Amino acid sequence: MSEHYSAKVLDHVHNPRNVGSIEDANVVVQAGDPSCGDALVFFIKIEKDIIHDIKFLIKGCGAAIATSSMATELVMGKHLDEVFTINDQKIAAALDGLPEEKMHCSNMAASALHAAVQQYRSTVAGESPQIEYPTFPNA
Ligand code: FES
């Protein structure tokens, strides 16, 4: 695997940032990739349109772990308008690229972030959503 991945990807695969859950998250979103059956949940604490904290749980390949980890770093402390501009290409670029066959893995993180912004903006800020999510191996 190491010949195909950048040093940054490997770093995030082996030392993923912000893994876990947030008990008082006011946005919880999940995304899945139907082509491989992998799944991701982001727990996010948003106040006044700013992401104050974000953690994730994942069942997925190395590229999915690395892109989710990088996504949390890209949005930490950011305004939701900026979060909405982050897409799979930006996440992959922040990791110094991904092999073409792994680009689809970065879609999970990007689509979950966009869903998080939409969820926050469509609900009363501070309200905790009741979402059932799958069990993850790193929970
Ligand atoms: Fe499933 Fe990468 S192969 S997300």
Side-chain angles (χ1 to χ4, degrees):
M1 149 167 129
S2 55
E3 308 120 48
H4 300 73
Y5 287 119
S6 71
K8 265 196 195 170
V9 171
L10 292 174
D11 179 33
H12 280 264
V13 171
H14 297 302
N15 303 293
R17 313 329 188 243
N18 305 307
V19 171
S21 58
I22 299 174
E23 210 160 289
D24 62 343
N26 54 358
V27 172
V28 180
V29 286
Q30 61 177 297
D33 186 329
S35 69
C36 60
D38 290 343
L40 160 72
V41 177
F42 279 134
F43 300 84
I44 312 176
K45 184 81 182 162
I46 303 172
E47 282 165 32
K48 294 183 180 162
D49 280 6
I50 303 288
I51 293 193
H52 281 266
D53 200 8
I54 176 168
K55 292 192 184 299
F56 74 99
L57 296 174
I58 192 162
K59 171 182 152 310
C61 68
I65 294 167
T67 52
S68 302
S69 170
M70 177 53 82
T72 65
E73 291 210 311
L74 289 175
V75 303
M76 192 75 82
K78 296 285 171 26
H79 191 280
L80 296 185
D81 288 345
E82 197 174 337
V83 174
F84 215 56
T85 69
I86 291 173
N87 58 19
D88 55 342
Q89 301 286 340
K90 284 189 182 174
I91 295 170
L95 287 164
D96 295 337
L98 281 173
E100 191 53 43
E101 69 275 14
K102 285 290 179 182
M103 277 303 295
H104 72 99
C105 310
S106 59
N107 279 330
M108 274 207 306
S111 62
L113 287 178
H114 293 184
V117 174
Q118 283 165 339
Q119 186 186 110
Y120 180 79
R121 289 185 164 161
S122 65
T123 58
V124 178
E127 204 174 80
S128 292
Q130 297 298 312
I131 291 182
E132 283 188 27
Y133 53 89
T135 306
F136 290 89
N138 58 351

